[in-house]
Amino acid sequence: GNPGLPQFYSSLARELCDRTGAEVTVVGLAGHLSRAHAATLGAPEGRYEFYPLSAQRAHTTDAARDAADRASAAGVPLVLIGHSIGGWLAIQAALALEAERAGTPALVLGIFAYLQNNRADPAFESTYRLLTLPSILARTVIGVIGALGSALGVLPKRISRMVLKTRLRTLEPRAIDVVMSMLRWPSIANLIRLARTEVCRMHDSRG
């Protein structure tokens, strides 16, 4: 789920591993990179590759397929856990594995798994209208939000946290650091484009 960085779930993964003795692999969303990781990969700040919902589903299914192969070789059950949009992606990965007869997961757990659609909520309605703008306007808005977010990412952390305090107030300090590390134009733009394909899929499915 968003912010889509594996580090966001590191404490949960460590706890699961310690308590169960199982191998725990955290899969991030494709294209969601921290500044440090992007610098290591040499990823340019001014350009990005867009990963819509369909590409995220393929990315997650590939990872689940690899995990299924390892689980089968070790003779242990496979469990898929997803948070937010990751819950939906985990379900889609499980369906794909079952169709391929590549190993059905013993359990698929979705934590707040959804394609959000609460149009009665004024906050979501505002987000929905923003994400469903015509393509030309949407590209402009994505560019502006990405630029603003990227600017926050290069400011001192104290100032950035003050600006974003209402958005980050429910997160633990380590999670806040992870979110702050993602404040770069390509990652923000990819996140917004992913959200746009989420709501467009929801709209299309309702016909």
Side-chain angles (χ1 to χ4, degrees):
N2 287 316
L5 300 179
Q7 304 96 303
F8 191 78
Y9 302 98
S10 60
S11 58
L12 172 62
R14 191 176 300 109
E15 185 75 11
L16 283 174
C17 184
D18 290 344
R19 287 179 176 270
T20 65
E23 175 188 332
V24 179
T25 302
V26 181
V27 179
L29 293 174
H32 291 215
L33 301 175
S34 67
R35 283 186 177 273
H37 193 189
T40 300
L41 296 175
E45 287 295 317
R47 292 183 293 109
Y48 71 99
E49 185 173 354
F50 169 44
Y51 295 90
L53 193 59
S54 58
Q56 298 292 352
R57 181 172 55 190
H59 167 70
T60 306
T61 300
D62 286 344
R65 192 179 294 111
D66 290 341
D69 290 342
R70 295 198 304 275
S72 178
V76 296
L78 172 66
V79 175
L80 300 179
I81 302 175
H83 167 237
S84 187
I85 187 59
W88 184 84
L89 291 169
I91 293 170
Q92 297 302 307
L95 292 173
L97 293 180
E98 185 176 16
E100 298 170 5
R101 301 186 184 279
T104 302
L107 174 68
V108 179
L109 175 61
I111 304 173
F112 300 118
Y114 65 94
L115 286 176
Q116 191 175 1
N117 186 28
N118 185 10
R119 298 287 299 277
D121 178 3
F124 174 71
E125 178 64 15
S126 297
T127 301
Y128 181 88
R129 288 179 179 277
L130 181 65
L131 292 173
T132 53
L133 286 171
S135 295
I136 295 176
L137 287 176
R139 283 196 293 270
T140 302
V141 171
I142 289 171
V144 171
I145 294 175
L148 291 174
S150 187
L152 283 175
V154 298
L155 290 174
K157 283 187 178 181
R158 178 175 58 84
I159 297 176
S160 297
R161 288 187 185 214
M162 286 178 58
V163 174
L164 298 172
K165 64 181 179 181
T166 57
R167 290 285 184 176
L168 304 178
R169 66 179 182 274
T170 60
L171 300 180
E172 62 182 26
R174 176 173 173 75
I176 291 175
D177 288 339
V178 172
V179 173
M180 299 292 287
S181 75
M182 191 180 162
L183 292 177
R184 51 186 296 272
W185 192 90
S187 295
I188 295 170
N190 194 54
L191 186 152
I192 297 172
R193 294 288 295 273
L194 170 59
R196 180 172 164 82
T197 58
E198 284 183 43
V199 298
C200 286
R201 176 188 173 89
M202 172 190 68
H203 179 77
D204 291 343
S205 68
R206 287 179 170 268

